[in-house]
Amino acid sequence: MTLRPAPQELAARARADLRMGVPVVLGAGESAALVAAAETLTPERLAALRALGAPVLAITPRRAETLKARAYSDHVARLILPEDADAGWIATIADPADDLMAPMKGPFATERGGDETIARAAIRLAKAAHLLPASLVVAVDDGPAMAAAHGLTWLDLTEAHTLWDASPLAEVSAARVPMEVSRAGRLHVYRPVDGGEEHYAVEIGRPDRAKPVLARLHSACFTGDVLGSLKCDCGPQLHAALDAMAAEGAGVLLYLNQEGRGIGLANKMRAYALQDQGFDTVEANHRLGFEDDERDFRTGAEILHALGFKSVRLMTNNPKKVEMMRRAGLEVAERVPLKVGESEHNRAYLATKAEKSGHIL
């Protein structure tokens, strides 16, 4: 029926459930499992999950490396839950905040071989929900029946071949917004069809669609853009990009809601706390279980295409943005450096971006 949610819509529902602490049921072929996010797991739900079978804790190989646990896979590590492990123990495995206070958490027994499809999907859903990338997985015999009996979301991974694709965007509104840098400003709001976070396009002046437009793909940074944090160069980059567009008389700034390189503000603050313990920005992400950068800039390319642009002069110090724009079918006529905002507070952070993430500074 047309009333039935599509796989991407069910995935959005599953992400919301995991954030609230509600388990979901995932299926892959003849296999099915109950999945609960480690971060939001309660003792009561852990007891209910244990009553159904032997749980495993799915974590990323990045987190497993920190814990000295064998992953046996490039995609996921499946830790066998000790019989006496409670919700607090699971939380300490998922969250590295106190790793230095209690470094000896193992030894761990991990599963080897077998189908890891559901465990991998559980990690991806937790990441997409901006939770810590760790999920409890309990195999069940009949996934649809389990979901129906308990009112849980059922997501069949074998039917969802486009599940992990970026959700298409639709412009939902636009209006003139006079700004300090330009009285001829216009804000466009784009919303993913799966109900995900909205993204914004700010037009300065009246950019000529027939020429390469001066453009900036700016990932949201609450701490830098709003609070004026000195730990990063995001705020100065945002304002310098707008100033450059104002000086040129035209440009497009895309404000993408991909906070913390795509891990969300809560996890970004966890990374900041780890940086206070002496880890650099990349090491902090890895200890949390994330990659260096979890963003997807195809969203920016889709918005630029929708606005009628085929070519850009991209304001960035990150060559990966240029590569991703080109792979998405957008011509990058020029990379325009954006070197502003260095201070004593972020000098080490910028050096790490250059050394480990390839930024040209």
Side-chain angles (χ1 to χ4, degrees), residues 173-233:
S173 63
R176 185 178 66 88
V177 181
M179 297 177 289
E180 288 183 4
V181 294
S182 173
R183 300 300 181 265
R186 189 169 183 82
L187 176 64
H188 304 257
V189 177
Y190 286 84
R191 182 180 298 156
V193 297
D194 69 357
E197 291 179 294
E198 295 171 347
H199 305 285
Y200 319 123
V202 182
E203 276 193 86
I204 302 298
R206 297 173 182 260
D208 186 345
R209 268 60 175 174
K211 298 179 181 178
V213 63
L214 185 63
R216 164 77 179 161
L217 272 64
H218 189 89
S219 295
C221 179
F222 174 77
T223 51
D225 299 343
V226 179
L227 302 182
S229 168
L230 301 176
K231 284 179 68 71
C232 65
D233 55 345

Side-chain angles (χ1 to χ4, degrees), residues 131-149:
L131 298 170
L132 288 166
S135 296
L136 206 65
V137 180
V138 181
V140 295
D141 291 330
D142 189 334
M146 174 64 67

